[in-house]
Amino acid sequence: MSKNPWDVHPVQALRAGPGFDLSTFDPSATPGWSDDRDDGEERMAEQGARLADLQEMLFAEGRSGGARSVLLVLQGMDTTGKGGIVRHVVGMVDPQGVDHASFGKPTPEELAHHYLWRIRNALPRPGRLGVFDRSHYEDVLVVRVENLVPPDVWGQRYDEINAFEAELVGSGTAIVKVALMVSLDEQRSRLGERLERPDKYWKYNPADLDARAKWPDYREAYQALLDRTSTEIAPWFVVPANRKWYARLAVTELLVDAFERLGLRWPAAEFDVEVEKDRLENS
Ligand code: ATP
């Protein structure tokens, strides 16, 4: 399989544009892809190799003084497969080129700072693929649903986040924002599995059921986030995640696309290649 098998590329099929409506979204769908799972896995392996090459080129650019980076922002409720994306998609590239950060409940030190403080501290270094497992968007999701700050405080964060991301893009960071969505039924079955299997107990957190009980509130918060922060320079991609193979394939394609848009080249040699060949010959 080397010709493009997509009917519609995920960049178009999954982008949250104006009027995007989560209430009619189908988390079992495979937008843009009409082939089967085996074909999807074959394509993923091919594009994984491409992603690894592109990431190495970005790393090489960073080593040669380049300032650019790529940042993958992963959001999703519990069990949507954020960890699986990190393992299976980001895991296809050289780990030395990856800056990974996950954002849980803020520590007292983090709470004493502006909410973007811990985010700024975790931004990818030049040449790196940064991965945020949860992100500054928790500050308009859990914080909004749980009333952790008053509405006039979280309410001004959407514009602030847009301005922050514009600053990042302006300084050379391409941002790929992915919201993973599973259905309530699928979440029940994934949580159930965590309670059945001793090798999955560690992933189970009784508090996950509290968030599950607030599903409509979270959906409203996600809808607001998509309405207000899916911008031209940093759009959201809403990825149906009931089928893990599809979600992983789609995120791989979104990353390959973001890297390709950088127009990367291998850095030129900073030495005289012919002279070095002669020296090697004579050494
Ligand atoms: P995950 O559910 O992402 O796999 P986890 O269950 O191991 O992770 P952590 O990563 O330690 O848990 O923390 C995730 C939790 O932290 C989520 O419940 C999330 O809503 C919460 N959280 C993240 N950011 C904030 C924030 N700014 N304010 C309050 N809670 C937050």
XYZ file of all heavy atoms in Angstrom, residues 50-71 97-98 124-130 172-174 255 258-260 262-267:
329
model
N 7.516 7.040 8.029
C 7.632 8.409 7.496
C 7.757 9.423 8.647
O 8.570 10.333 8.620
C 6.375 8.695 6.642
C 6.249 10.079 6.132
C 6.983 10.265 4.808
N 6.997 11.658 4.389
C 8.112 12.366 4.164
N 9.291 11.808 4.277
N 8.045 13.621 3.792
N 6.930 9.218 9.674
C 6.949 10.116 10.830
C 8.321 10.084 11.519
O 8.869 11.121 11.904
C 5.845 9.696 11.817
C 5.700 10.545 13.076
C 5.312 11.985 12.720
C 4.635 9.939 14.006
N 8.878 8.879 11.634
C 10.190 8.750 12.285
C 11.255 9.513 11.494
O 12.114 10.193 12.066
C 10.551 7.272 12.428
N 11.196 9.432 10.147
C 12.172 10.156 9.312
C 12.018 11.667 9.483
O 13.000 12.398 9.623
C 11.927 9.848 7.825
C 12.541 8.521 7.430
O 13.272 7.936 8.256
O 12.256 8.059 6.311
N 10.760 12.114 9.461
C 10.506 13.557 9.573
C 10.960 14.080 10.932
O 11.543 15.163 11.046
C 9.012 13.840 9.380
C 8.489 13.667 7.939
C 6.968 13.535 7.926
C 8.935 14.845 7.066
N 10.699 13.286 11.946
C 11.079 13.721 13.290
C 12.604 13.781 13.422
O 13.142 14.678 14.060
C 10.448 12.779 14.309
C 10.540 13.245 15.734
C 11.688 12.612 16.465
O 12.206 11.580 16.030
N 12.095 13.218 17.554
N 13.288 12.847 12.765
C 14.755 12.883 12.803
C 15.274 14.138 12.096
O 16.237 14.772 12.542
C 15.335 11.621 12.152
C 16.833 11.508 12.386
C 17.459 10.276 11.755
O 16.715 9.348 11.353
O 18.694 10.255 11.645
N 14.581 14.517 11.009
C 14.984 15.739 10.291
C 14.798 16.977 11.165
O 15.631 17.891 11.165
C 14.116 15.909 9.042
C 14.830 15.590 7.775
S 13.775 16.049 6.386
C 13.876 14.557 5.496
N 13.695 17.001 11.905
C 13.455 18.147 12.798
C 14.520 18.173 13.905
O 15.043 19.233 14.264
C 12.055 18.040 13.421
C 11.673 19.180 14.370
C 11.565 20.508 13.621
C 10.342 18.887 15.074
N 14.850 16.997 14.404
C 15.871 16.892 15.456
C 17.213 17.409 14.921
O 17.918 18.172 15.582
C 15.976 15.430 15.902
C 16.829 15.234 17.112
C 16.362 15.559 18.371
C 18.121 14.721 16.992
C 17.151 15.374 19.494
C 18.918 14.532 18.116
C 18.421 14.863 19.364
N 17.531 16.988 13.684
C 18.792 17.430 13.059
C 18.787 18.952 12.900
O 19.794 19.622 13.161
C 18.962 16.752 11.703
N 17.637 19.492 12.504
C 17.524 20.951 12.350
C 17.777 21.645 13.688
O 18.483 22.647 13.781
C 16.129 21.314 11.819
C 15.936 22.804 11.598
C 14.508 23.153 11.172
O 14.198 23.038 9.971
O 13.707 23.552 12.051
N 17.197 21.072 14.750
C 17.376 21.643 16.091
C 18.840 21.609 16.520
O 19.358 22.550 17.123
N 19.523 20.512 16.165
C 20.945 20.392 16.492
C 21.789 21.412 15.729
O 22.891 21.752 16.131
C 21.443 18.987 16.120
C 21.146 17.948 17.156
C 21.963 18.257 18.402
N 21.696 17.314 19.469
C 22.326 16.156 19.611
N 23.250 15.784 18.760
N 22.026 15.368 20.616
N 21.254 21.854 14.582
C 22.009 22.799 13.753
C 21.561 24.231 13.995
O 21.731 25.090 13.137
C 21.817 22.460 12.273
O 22.026 21.106 12.054
N 20.901 24.474 15.110
C 20.552 25.848 15.477
C 19.114 26.235 15.193
O 18.707 27.362 15.487
N 18.326 25.330 14.597
C 16.929 25.647 14.302
C 16.111 25.743 15.583
O 16.430 25.095 16.576
N 15.054 26.562 15.534
C 14.261 26.777 16.762
C 12.901 26.083 16.699
O 12.129 26.147 17.640
C 14.054 28.275 16.968
N 12.608 25.414 15.581
C 11.238 24.922 15.429
C 10.974 23.637 16.221
O 11.893 22.876 16.532
C 10.941 24.693 13.951
C 10.997 26.008 13.188
C 10.459 25.870 11.801
N 11.252 24.955 10.967
C 10.917 24.627 9.729
N 9.826 25.132 9.187
N 11.681 23.815 9.014
N 9.684 23.419 16.517
C 9.270 22.200 17.218
C 7.820 21.911 16.835
O 7.164 22.730 16.200
C 9.406 22.381 18.736
O 8.607 23.476 19.163
N 7.364 20.733 17.227
C 5.961 20.346 17.013
C 5.401 19.970 18.378
O 6.090 19.310 19.172
C 5.856 19.145 16.042
C 4.414 18.651 15.931
C 6.393 19.520 14.654
N 4.183 20.401 18.657
C 3.562 20.065 19.948
C 2.229 19.352 19.710
O 1.315 19.910 19.104
C 3.321 21.346 20.762
C 2.544 21.163 22.079
C 3.288 20.239 23.046
C 2.289 22.519 22.747
N 14.104 12.320 20.702
C 13.578 13.537 20.083
C 12.235 13.959 20.646
O 11.604 14.864 20.115
N 11.807 13.300 21.736
C 10.467 13.565 22.272
C 10.565 14.229 23.648
O 11.336 13.791 24.500
C 9.672 12.238 22.400
C 8.327 12.473 23.078
C 9.479 11.594 21.034
N 8.101 21.990 24.331
C 9.189 21.238 23.691
C 10.401 22.117 23.393
O 10.255 23.284 23.025
C 8.558 20.719 22.398
C 7.357 21.570 22.152
C 6.878 22.036 23.498
N 11.570 21.519 23.560
C 12.798 22.225 23.198
C 12.908 22.265 21.670
O 12.242 21.498 20.979
C 14.006 21.494 23.804
C 14.078 21.618 25.309
C 15.065 20.630 25.887
N 14.571 19.263 25.766
C 15.290 18.174 26.030
N 16.551 18.280 26.412
N 14.755 16.972 25.911
N 13.757 23.153 21.142
C 13.929 23.213 19.691
C 14.258 21.831 19.120
O 15.035 21.080 19.711
C 15.121 24.160 19.517
C 15.078 25.039 20.725
C 14.582 24.155 21.843
N 13.624 21.499 17.996
C 13.912 20.225 17.338
C 13.140 19.048 17.893
O 13.257 17.937 17.389
N 12.340 19.284 18.931
C 11.657 18.153 19.579
C 10.185 18.070 19.197
O 9.549 19.064 18.847
C 11.720 18.271 21.110
C 13.105 18.363 21.713
C 14.007 17.225 21.255
N 15.046 16.921 22.228
C 16.162 17.614 22.389
N 16.392 18.691 21.640
N 17.049 17.258 23.287
N 9.682 16.851 19.317
C 8.240 16.625 19.283
C 7.772 16.634 20.731
O 8.149 15.751 21.511
C 7.928 15.264 18.629
C 6.493 14.739 18.801
C 5.460 15.695 18.211
C 6.360 13.355 18.156
N 7.013 17.656 21.102
C 6.466 17.717 22.456
C 5.130 16.999 22.487
O 4.371 17.040 21.512
N 7.611 29.442 16.258
C 8.102 28.261 15.531
C 7.610 26.913 16.026
O 8.171 25.887 15.651
N 6.563 26.902 16.866
C 6.015 25.622 17.316
C 4.709 25.327 16.581
O 3.746 26.088 16.704
C 5.752 25.656 18.844
O 6.995 25.899 19.507
C 5.173 24.333 19.335
N 4.690 24.246 15.820
C 3.440 23.827 15.165
C 2.628 23.046 16.195
O 3.167 22.156 16.865
C 3.756 22.940 13.966
N -0.004 14.056 12.553
C 1.378 14.431 12.861
C 2.233 14.483 11.595
O 3.012 15.424 11.395
C 1.988 13.449 13.862
C 1.585 13.660 15.322
C 2.173 12.551 16.197
C 2.052 15.025 15.836
N 1.535 17.663 9.883
C 2.125 18.838 10.544
C 3.628 18.924 10.259
O 4.167 20.004 9.982
C 1.874 18.775 12.049
N 4.305 17.783 10.309
C 5.741 17.782 10.013
C 5.987 18.157 8.542
O 6.920 18.891 8.227
C 6.353 16.409 10.306
C 6.780 16.213 11.725
C 5.923 15.669 12.665
C 8.062 16.560 12.137
C 6.320 15.478 13.984
C 8.475 16.374 13.452
C 7.602 15.828 14.376
N 5.152 17.611 7.650
C 5.380 17.891 6.225
C 5.209 19.374 5.925
O 5.917 19.927 5.091
C 4.480 17.025 5.351
C 5.113 15.653 5.225
C 4.329 14.657 4.403
O 3.122 14.871 4.191
O 4.943 13.651 4.009
N 6.198 21.707 7.566
C 7.401 22.455 7.961
C 8.407 22.544 6.809
O 9.340 23.342 6.867
C 8.070 21.801 9.175
C 7.260 21.769 10.471
C 8.048 21.057 11.568
C 6.894 23.184 10.933
N 8.232 21.697 5.779
C 9.177 21.731 4.651
C 10.601 21.462 5.116
O 11.530 22.196 4.767
N 10.769 20.405 5.902
C 12.081 20.124 6.502
C 13.102 19.659 5.466
O 12.749 19.022 4.484
C 11.917 19.038 7.573
C 11.123 19.459 8.801
C 10.579 18.230 9.537
C 12.005 20.289 9.731
N 14.350 19.986 5.709
C 15.471 19.517 4.872
C 16.573 19.036 5.804
O 16.716 19.566 6.895
C 16.073 20.685 4.074
C 15.140 21.434 3.190
C 15.599 21.328 1.717
N 14.701 22.076 0.851
C 13.447 21.696 0.578
N 12.953 20.602 1.099
N 12.690 22.425 -0.220
N 17.359 18.098 5.317
C 18.536 17.711 6.118
C 19.498 18.890 6.149
O 19.722 19.525 5.121
C 19.228 16.502 5.494
C 18.413 15.251 5.576
C 17.814 14.603 4.540
C 18.098 14.503 6.759
N 17.134 13.497 5.000
C 17.293 13.402 6.357
C 18.396 14.633 8.105
C 16.797 12.468 7.257
C 17.906 13.692 8.997
C 17.117 12.630 8.581
N 20.056 19.206 7.305
C 20.986 20.344 7.350
C 22.229 20.076 6.500
O 22.704 18.937 6.423
C 21.368 20.452 8.832
C 20.674 19.353 9.552
C 19.853 18.554 8.589
